[in-house]
Amino acid sequence: MECTLIGAPLQIGAGQLGCEMGPSALRIAGLRTALEELGHTVKDIGNLTPRTFDEMPHPNAAVHHLGETVAWVEALSAAAYEHGKAGMPIFLGGDHAISAGTVPGLARRAAERGRPLFVLWLDAHTDFHSLETTASGNLHGTPVAYYTGQAGFDGYFPALAHAVPTENVCMIGIRSVDPAEQAAIRKTGITVHDMRVIDEHGVGVLVRTFIERVRAANGLLHVSFDVDFLEPDIAPAVGTTVPGGATFREAHLIMEMLHDSDLVTSLDIVELNPFLDERGKTAKLLVDLVASLMGKRVMDRPTLAG
């Protein structure tokens, strides 16, 4: 498969600086080599840059960097649409605000192909705030509400050509949700699996059920992977750590099951903050997880000599 690496060094959607170094850290950790060793063709187009922008005021005084975020959304949406026509675009964040651009662009491309887009959201947070409800003003907490066509973005974010139906979104690993997000999500068709559901049923059952839904609809599957989906002990390089995340084994199981499904057509890797990492520990783990998604097996992994 042809994989296209697309850097998106956006960090103004988060509350803590450092995510703009994420694309470089993933490259240095060997992402391209890992994919090539699996037989994939890899093209790295470098990092995107947004257009020149003006700051945009908003009635919610907490909202910050709105103009810059909108410029990034436009650039990412165009790139996702272009590179979603063939192969596997892999977007290297950057904070999770990048998904406000990647998903709409991919949804537009999917609609032209006559197939629905589904999104697997692997994250500790639902990111379902609108510009009106966010108390922090950090716009990495808004992408899902935006790309599913919720109210509160008109006149600011670009108009959506094809919103993703909420029934096509599945969230796994959720363990930090604001009251406003809870109230809004309950009115939608989004499937939300928090960590208790994972503990009770196992992650494999949840992923398999969603994969079957995507296959039944002849859908295309976009995976959006936030570092804080993982347990902070194994992935410390994120500014929004929440205890009780997915384990190493759970994360690899998900990726291997997704590979076996042959449904995944695009990927976001977001919120990697190398400034908070421990000798590249998190970046290397993410590269290994992407490799699992792209076909690497446990039997392929070298072990240290005893």
Side-chain angles (χ1 to χ4, degrees):
M1 178 180 289
E2 181 174 300
C3 301
T4 303
L5 305 184
I6 306 166
L10 167 64
Q11 68 176 5
I12 41 81
Q16 189 162 348
L17 300 182
C19 285
E20 72 173 8
M21 298 185 290
S24 294
L26 290 166
R27 291 179 173 113
I28 293 169
L31 180 57
R32 178 172 193 152
T33 300
L35 294 171
E36 289 176 338
E37 287 178 349
L38 292 169
H40 301 293
T41 301
V42 181
K43 177 174 64 175
D44 189 339
I45 68 166
N47 291 345
L48 299 177
T49 54
R51 60 167 172 77
T52 302
F53 58 89
D54 294 320
E55 196 43 67
M56 301 172 66
H58 190 274
N60 179 355
V63 171
H64 58 88
H65 295 94
L66 180 55
E68 185 173 356
T69 301
V70 170
W72 271 107
V73 168
E74 292 172 355
L76 282 158
S77 182
Y81 175 74
E82 177 185 353
H83 296 285
K85 61 187 174 185
M88 174 88 166
I90 300 175
F91 299 91
L92 314 179
D95 67 60
H96 222 156
I98 76 168
S99 299
T102 60
V103 176
L106 295 165
R108 179 182 162 208
R109 178 63 71 181
E112 290 186 358
R113 296 171 64 178
R115 299 176 68 182
L117 182 71
F118 287 74
V119 179
L120 179 60
W121 195 257
L122 302 175
D123 198 332
H125 307 87
T126 58
D127 294 346
F128 206 71
H129 274 296
S130 73
L131 298 180
E132 298 165 354
T133 65
T134 174
S136 69
N138 297 332
L139 297 184
H140 67 172
T142 64
V144 184
Y146 168 62
Y147 70 64
T148 57
Q150 307 305 303
F153 296 92
D154 290 349
Y156 298 96
F157 277 33
L160 292 170
H162 296 279
V164 177
T166 56
E167 294 78 10
N168 290 10
V169 179
C170 177
M171 300 180 170
I172 296 181
I174 302 301
R175 54 197 190 278
S176 178
V177 188
D178 293 338
E181 292 177 295
Q182 289 184 8
I185 287 177
R186 288 194 184 103
K187 301 174 184 176
T188 75
I190 294 176
T191 300
V192 180
H193 296 309
D194 60 16
M195 293 307 295
R196 173 175 174 170
V197 176
I198 292 176
D199 290 342
E200 289 184 350
H201 301 282
V203 74
V205 172
L206 309 179
V207 173
R208 186 177 299 112
T209 300
F210 186 58
I211 285 173
E212 290 170 355
R213 283 175 51 198
V214 178
R215 181 174 287 113
N218 191 32
L220 304 175
L221 180 53
H222 175 67
V223 176
S224 198
F225 191 104
D226 190 314
V227 176
D228 70 23
F229 168 71
L230 299 165
E231 171 58 42
D233 286 348
I234 63 171
V238 62
T240 52
T241 54
V242 184
T247 66
F248 177 93
R249 289 170 60 183
E250 288 170 333
H252 274 290
L253 173 61
I254 290 171
M255 292 304 183
E256 291 187 4
M257 292 179 69
L258 289 170
H259 171 75
D260 291 347
S261 76
D262 201 30
L263 292 170
V264 178
T265 51
S266 50
L267 171 68
D268 297 330
I269 311 169
V270 304
E271 299 287 349
L272 173 63
N273 187 335
F275 192 73
L276 304 175
D277 210 354
E278 301 169 2
R279 297 178 180 271
K281 173 181 178 179
T282 308
K284 292 173 185 175
L285 173 57
L286 290 174
V287 168
D288 206 25
L289 288 170
V290 175
S292 285
L293 176 64
M294 299 304 294
K296 190 172 184 178
R297 296 289 185 178
V298 170
M299 291 294 291
D300 297 331
R301 293 193 181 88
T303 55
L304 297 176

